[in-house]
Amino acid sequence: MFGASVGAHQVEGGNTNSDWWWWEHREGTNCREPSGDACDFYHRYRQDVEVLAGLGLNAFRFGIEWARIEPAEGEFSTAELDHYRRMLAECREHRITPIVTFHHFTLPFWLHQMGGFACDRFAELFARYCDRAAGALGDLIGYACTINEPQGLGQSGYVLGINPPGHEDDREGAERSTANLLDAHRLGSAAIRARAGIPVGVTLALPDLQYEDEAVPGSSSLELESRVNDQFFELARKDDFVGVQTYTRFRIGPEGPRSPGHDWSDTTRPPDETETTTQMGYENYPQALGGAIRRAWKSTGGGIPILVTENGIATSFDEKRVRFMDAALREVLVCMDEGIDVRSYLYWSLLDNFEWSFGYAPTFGLVAVDRQTFARHVKPSAYWLGSVARARAMPAERS
Ligand code: BGC
């Protein structure tokens, strides 16, 4: 499968009943700007699915939003589930396999008030939501992703204070959150499988962590997250696939991770993109995808299919995006030659969208979105990926 990904909160717009909406409007957070109408994808998804299909892509990963589907505890909205059914049907009409994320960072505000990820009932409530959503939508879903990148949610929300609920140094909260998220994946995936019988997995953030010779493995937040990923890999051995999401490598030296060269605590000053770095301040290193795929394959015992569910670059130079995808896809081919079962390449992101606390400054999209009119403008890189998908082969090596 060749396609692209989006996350519900980042593109839909007006997700007012969520913890992130609250966070974006709160004084003193690190948010650059609120999400507002985002890409108005909630109303314009038909156009986006058409664009995707027209390019020759055959898979689309998008999210369903818990805060809309269950606006108050235990109250499920048939109208919102119908909305997502129409989206799924639109994909099917265009012969696009829908890959659906049940949870992508945001929580319903009522659950945030009950303690969010750290709430004792988190896993049980997530499983109930999965059961209801899979019951209403499962027959149209191709692949279900339970939780997006759970490894960092405890750290960023409870220790670093850079995500909701914004706690700092609440290590106990972080630990409880991680334990609850592991349980939530276990119970949620079982609920989806039982209700809809579709392939289920978790999608993990897997930067390529490279240790320099003299590096002493320590407890930097990157390494802590990596250990949480290991726990999810254990669970993923029983799953139908594992989602790999990779953007760059991080090198770990004697003093811990080498600084990416930009102070991310001030999101009002986005990093300057250079030839060797991206708009996120990351090293432009598409080869990271190979290391990440191998790690996921080995850590799940070498038999669980891999879906590359996110891979991309934030850049204002579209030709740089083409080079990035070209190099990343060649890594995928090498992995497949080694015998690794890789089933998809989904570029992040279909649209220039809301990059969380960084707002709309970073542009990851294959398609640009006018912030006033929401008009879509398809970039050359989108046509490039479409041509690879149609040919099912790489173009000649680039010089
Ligand atoms: C997340 C996306 C995010 C992307 C680019 C991933 O970690 O799943 O929500 O926009 O990276 O930073």
Side-chain angles (χ1 to χ4, degrees), residues 6-7 10 61 104-105 148-149 151 203 205 245 247 280 282 310 312 314 348-349 353-356 358 362 364:
V6 294
Q10 297 175 268
R61 173 170 173 256
H104 195 137
F105 298 171
N148 184 70
E149 303 188 345
Q151 89 297 332
T203 57
Q245 320 207 133
Y247 291 87
M280 299 295 287
Y282 297 156
E310 288 184 24
W348 180 275
S349 171
N353 63 30
F354 180 68
E355 180 56 29
W356 307 107
F358 294 90
F364 279 92

Side-chain angles (χ1 to χ4, degrees), residues 70-202:
E70 190 177 355
E73 203 226 302
E75 276 179 38
F76 289 85
S77 164
T78 309
E80 293 292 356
L81 287 166
D82 282 349
H83 167 81
Y84 291 114
R85 255 196 102 71
R86 288 191 291 275
M87 273 179 63
L88 289 160
E90 190 71 20
C91 291
R92 292 296 184 183
E93 271 164 38
H94 287 87
R95 296 181 178 285
I96 285 176
T97 302
I99 300 172
V100 172
T101 309
F102 280 57
H103 180 270
H104 195 137
F105 298 171
T106 48
L107 288 178
F109 193 65
W110 56 262
L111 181 49
H112 160 80
Q113 285 177 311
M114 285 166 61
F117 301 119
C119 164
D120 289 345
R121 295 182 57 209
F122 179 77
E124 166 216 327
L125 293 168
F126 180 68
R128 180 176 67 180
Y129 151 70
C130 287
D131 174 68
R132 293 295 286 260
L137 309 171
D139 57 321
L140 294 176
I141 295 176
Y143 294 80
C145 312
T146 53
I147 304 171
N148 184 70
E149 303 188 345
Q151 89 297 332
L153 295 173
Q155 278 291 308
S156 42
Y158 292 81
V159 178
L160 305 174
I162 53 173
N163 275 3
H167 295 189
E168 283 172 31
D169 289 324
D170 175 2
R171 278 164 215 284
E172 203 214 311
E175 271 165 37
R176 247 183 303 136
S177 297
T178 300
N180 289 344
L181 285 157
L182 284 156
D183 272 350
H185 173 64
R186 239 180 355 92
L187 299 181
S189 54
I192 298 169
R193 236 174 251 123
R195 180 62 71 182
I198 49 177
V200 189
V202 63

